Amino acid sequence: MKPSIIVSLALPLALAALPAAGAKSQKPPVKQTAPAAAAAEDKDATTAEFEKFREVMEDSNPAELFEMKGEELWNEKRGPKQVSLAESCDLGLGIGVVKGAYVQTPRYFADVDQVMDVERRIVHCMVEHQGFKREDIAKKPFSNDTHTPEPVSLVTYVASQSKGMKIAIPQKHPKEIETYRIGAEVFQYRAGPYDFSCATCHGADGKRIRTQQLPNLTKPQGAIKSYLGWPGYRMTGGVMHTLQWRMNDCFRQQRFPEPGYVSDSVTALLSYLGVNSNGYTYKGPGIKR
Amino acid sequence: MTIERKITAALLAGAVFATVAQAEDRNYRAEAIAMIKKDFRSRGIAGYERVQEDGLQAVCNRSGNRPPEAIAKQLEQDQLASVKLPADGKLMGDWKSGEKIAQSGRGMTWADKPGIPGGGNCYNCHQLDPKEKSFGTIGPSLYQFGKLRGNTPETQKYVYSKIYNAKAFNLCSEMPRFGHSGAIGEKEIRDLVALLLDPASPVNK
């Protein structure tokens, strides 16, 4: 069975088991208390509901279906060259090694003399070792309700193999350090019709857009929130997304033009967020609103 | 901006830039900007030209959003001088329409269609009508804004100008320049002024 079909079956069941979570999109009732306090209360209630929902989902996380698909794709001989990624792709810890690879990327790869994040490396392997065309992969790189690109499933599988491990993104090679430093500047760069940078929303503690709390990604305790739960099964739209998509969608909301898929800029940004999260434990692919 | 001002601003900005650059062996900011220019591309209404910072953004980017006061004051004056007030002098519109505009977070993204007026994005960052519990906190609460300040012509002019170009009053403010960038038009800004200043607006109840 296709993951999308299983998900569409499993999800209503899970939702039915927890009606409170299903109602989370409704506007909270109007209360006649001090507005700021009431908003904080409502937010807490919504968060609590979602946390409960997440607990219920923990044993049947839809992300697992994409992990399974990704594992198949990793092990199968595929592409024009009929080679498997398991026998050809080095994610930084040796050919075919997936355990711990996710929490140690972005990292420097000597064969390309470049820093790559995990999705970029997987795409690199698909092109170089399996013979897929980069243009074909980059044409529609993000999931929608009818299509989950192969790199998304592969990243989800690789990420699942780092569950419970500490984030330890290396900062040894000069290019790793340079990528982090450039990423910090990408994060602060204001431009576009709204004068926004990443830092406009994610550069201070305790801010919200509407009721959505905004982690301060310049600090470790905030940055880890950008790492945890991704790749994530997103309730909105019911699709699996990776951090590549998350960065892309942030730039959309920032009113920027679109960053290239698996481009240097995105790698730099992921390096900044990832290194800032170092030392925290990664909990594996998650569920997002 | 006059030629003299441009030169002064450029010199002062250069001084800021040199100070920052000196602290680094390498200029990572310049590398980041070059990288963005290499990697980004137009999509929908979000054209490639948006990756290019304008003069004000450049000053804020190069000073960590804390430009020297002399530069800030001068550039704020320039921004204020470019505010286009309505020709008929009418600055307050309909607060009910303003509330709808304040609610809308649409506009200017690559997913937005061309020609459709954007929203004010106000509730994303500010509290306004206390009945709306879903409001952001990036900006200050504007609840009772008019009740506390009145709605004299001067206050109307200030609020209109602030929405039109927030940078006229705080050079590196987080708030977009809604009129300056064309994100919303004259009618929309008027209606938002009413939402903030009309005694009948729920903001002032």
Side-chain angles (χ1 to χ4, degrees), chain A residues 35 189-190 195 208 210 265, chain B residues 39 51 57 127 135 173 177:
Chain A
Y189 184 63
R190 299 180 78 172
D195 308 321
R208 301 195 316 251
R210 291 282 186 158
S265 300
Chain B
D39 288 339
V51 299
Q57 290 165 343
Q127 181 186 30
F135 61 87
S173 165
R177 296 170 277 176

Side-chain angles (χ1 to χ4, degrees), chain A residues 229-250:
Chain A
W230 297 103
Y233 180 78
R234 201 148 185 263
M235 308 301 298
T236 318
V239 290
M240 196 72 207
H241 280 307
T242 66
L243 277 172
Q244 278 285 331
W245 173 85
R246 190 66 197 86
M247 297 301 110
N248 179 281
D249 202 55
C250 265

Side-chain angles (χ1 to χ4, degrees), chain A residues 6-285:
Chain A
I6 306 178
V7 168
S8 63
L9 289 175
L11 211 55
L13 288 175
L15 286 168
L18 198 75
K24 74 189 165 53
S25 62
Q26 286 175 13
K27 273 195 182 174
V30 175
K31 288 179 193 166
Q32 297 304 318
T33 47
E41 249 171 58
D42 289 337
K43 168 65 197 170
D44 288 343
T46 314
T47 306
E49 277 172 18
F50 187 72
E51 290 307 321
K52 262 193 277 174
F53 172 69
R54 207 176 243 165
E55 269 170 40
V56 169
M57 292 295 279
E58 210 156 71
D59 293 330
S60 57
N61 185 341
E64 282 176 21
L65 303 161
F66 298 92
E67 292 168 19
M68 284 159 61
K69 179 68 189 164
E71 186 172 12
E72 275 174 42
L73 290 169
W74 181 260
N75 289 309
E76 215 178 299
K77 289 187 191 295
R78 300 171 67 244
K81 298 185 184 171
Q82 283 299 297
V83 173
S84 75
L85 293 171
E87 65 189 336
S88 67
C89 189
D90 183 353
L91 296 176
L93 304 177
I95 288 172
V97 179
V98 288
K99 192 130 197 89
Y102 188 81
V103 289
Q104 294 177 65
T105 46
R107 65 157 52 234
Y108 175 76
F109 291 91
D111 59 342
V112 285
D113 190 31
Q114 261 184 334
V115 174
M116 291 178 151
D117 60 80
V118 73
E119 187 157 348
R120 186 175 182 176
R121 185 64 179 177
I122 285 170
V123 170
H124 168 82
C125 288
M126 288 173 72
V127 171
E128 294 302 317
H129 304 311
Q130 296 185 306
F132 288 107
K133 286 207 174 101
R134 181 175 295 274
E135 311 84 79
D136 292 344
I137 298 170
K139 212 174 278 168
K140 281 201 164 175
F142 304 123
S143 306
N144 59 35
D145 50 2
T146 58
H147 175 65
T148 304
E150 289 172 347
V152 171
S153 298
L154 282 159
V155 169
T156 308
Y157 164 60
V158 171
S160 74
Q161 300 303 300
S162 283
K163 194 173 176 176
M165 297 173 82
K166 278 210 168 123
I167 297 169
I169 293 158
Q171 284 282 281
K172 291 192 194 91
H173 192 279
K175 290 213 171 177
E176 290 170 343
I177 295 162
E178 157 193 305
T179 302
Y180 172 84
R181 301 290 296 272
I182 293 172
E185 295 292 347
V186 171
F187 188 85
Q188 294 289 342
Y189 184 63
R190 299 180 78 172
Y194 279 15
D195 308 321
F196 285 170
S197 71
C198 305
T200 304
C201 292
H202 294 289
D205 292 333
K207 299 289 186 184
R208 301 195 316 251
I209 284 186
R210 291 282 186 158
T211 56
Q212 179 65 53
Q213 282 172 354
L214 303 164
N216 179 355
L217 304 179
T218 65
K219 291 182 177 171
Q221 57 270 38
I224 183 59
K225 290 186 176 156
S226 72
Y227 226 81
L228 291 182
W230 297 103
Y233 180 78
R234 201 148 185 263
M235 308 301 298
T236 318
V239 290
M240 196 72 207
H241 280 307
T242 66
L243 277 172
Q244 278 285 331
W245 173 85
R246 190 66 197 86
M247 297 301 110
N248 179 281
D249 202 55
C250 265
F251 280 116
R252 178 183 65 80
Q253 295 178 68
Q254 206 177 311
R255 274 75 181 180
F256 268 46
E258 187 171 35
Y261 175 61
V262 296
S263 61
D264 289 337
S265 300
V266 177
T267 299
L269 209 43
L270 290 178
S271 171
Y272 178 65
L273 301 178
V275 170
N276 285 351
S277 312
N278 268 347
Y280 284 93
T281 301
Y282 177 62
K283 294 175 182 167

Side-chain angles (χ1 to χ4, degrees), chain B residues 42-65:
Chain B
S42 297
R43 178 166 171 187
I45 62 168
Y48 175 75
E49 71 284 352
R50 292 185 183 185
V51 299
Q52 176 63 50
E53 55 193 342
D54 71 7
L56 179 141
Q57 290 165 343
V59 169
C60 296
N61 281 335
R62 275 150 187 73
S63 63
N65 295 311

